[in-house]
Amino acid sequence: RKRERQKKKERKEKKNKERKKEKKERKEGRKEGRKEGRKEGREGGRREGGREGGREGGRKEESFPYLSSLLPFSPEPPTMNPVVEPLSWMLGTWLSDPLGAGTFLTPQPFQYLEEVCISHVGQPVLNFSFNPFHLDTRKPMHRECGFIHLKPNTNKVAFVSAQNTVILEVEEGKMNR
């Protein structure tokens, strides 16, 4: 029995050594892959492939090219889509004036400053991000981003928003022209 236990223990130790060696090789392969991906991303290349998972039948992960390597550089801004042309006055970066006021989850009311960035990339929507900061501490608060849709040839507008607090909103209304 002692001999059987000793052999079993030796087999287990051997298996553990093999697993550690495989894990180390996989880790080194991932590091090398990340280095190559960063290098190729800077050069505008695309890295295909991935790695095998640690278990049998592991899924294969693909790496995707950097977005900047897919988009042509242009010093000119994209042409605004005619559908959202009536909303072009909204484009730019805005700061809240007057300050916002809140009481969310705090016993004391607080004030905040909000930066709003509205942009477009030539699609029939406007992109936006809302970034509020606590006025006293200057710490960032929740984040919100989304799209503003204008139904073609109408005054119907939709506001689609997602927050990092897991709140999703779709608001629809009419725009005065």
Side-chain angles (χ1 to χ4, degrees):
R1 284 187 167 189
K2 261 189 175 178
R3 206 178 293 182
E4 285 176 21
R5 278 190 233 143
Q6 184 64 28
K7 284 185 180 184
K8 192 175 182 179
K9 185 178 178 181
E10 287 172 2
R11 282 194 303 266
K12 192 175 184 179
E13 286 174 0
K14 186 178 176 182
K15 255 187 182 178
N16 284 339
K17 279 185 181 181
E18 288 173 1
R19 283 186 192 144
K20 284 182 183 181
K21 185 179 175 183
E22 287 173 6
K23 187 176 180 180
K24 185 179 178 183
E25 288 171 357
R26 282 194 310 268
K27 188 175 182 180
E28 288 172 0
R30 284 194 303 265
K31 281 183 184 176
E32 190 61 35
R34 283 195 298 265
K35 286 179 190 174
E36 289 173 16
R38 283 195 298 264
K39 180 181 172 194
E40 290 176 4
R42 283 193 302 269
E43 296 168 1
R46 180 179 177 149
R47 186 176 74 106
E48 297 285 339
R51 64 180 174 88
E52 291 294 325
R55 56 187 187 271
E56 280 187 29
R59 67 185 178 93
K60 190 172 184 178
E61 294 180 8
E62 287 188 50
S63 69
F64 293 96
Y66 292 94
L67 181 60
S68 59
S69 69
L70 296 175
L71 299 174
F73 174 75
S74 173
E76 297 295 319
T79 304
M80 179 167 257
N81 190 295
V83 171
V84 290
E85 196 70 45
L87 302 176
S88 63
W89 64 271
M90 297 174 70
L91 295 175
T93 299
W94 304 75
L95 288 175
S96 58
D97 184 24
L99 298 173
T103 56
F104 184 72
L105 296 178
T106 62
Q108 297 296 318
F110 60 89
Q111 290 187 311
Y112 62 91
L113 178 66
E114 188 156 32
E115 179 185 67
V116 177
C117 298
I118 299 178
S119 63
H120 77 94
V121 293
Q123 296 175 335
V125 297
L126 295 183
N127 308 321
F128 71 82
S129 65
F130 293 171
N131 303 301
F133 296 88
H134 194 281
L135 188 62
D136 298 329
T137 64
R138 300 285 191 216
K139 288 185 179 179
M141 298 169 77
H142 77 278
R143 293 291 188 256
E144 204 171 325
C145 61
F147 305 97
I148 302 170
H149 298 260
L150 185 59
K151 190 171 180 180
N153 304 316
T154 71
N155 65 342
K156 293 181 180 179
V157 66
F159 180 85
V160 181
S161 169
Q163 297 182 28
N164 65 337
T165 56
V166 197
I167 295 175
L168 305 172
E169 297 174 271
V170 177
E171 298 188 30
E172 297 176 314
K174 293 182 179 178
M175 181 179 79
N176 296 331
R177 291 189 183 226

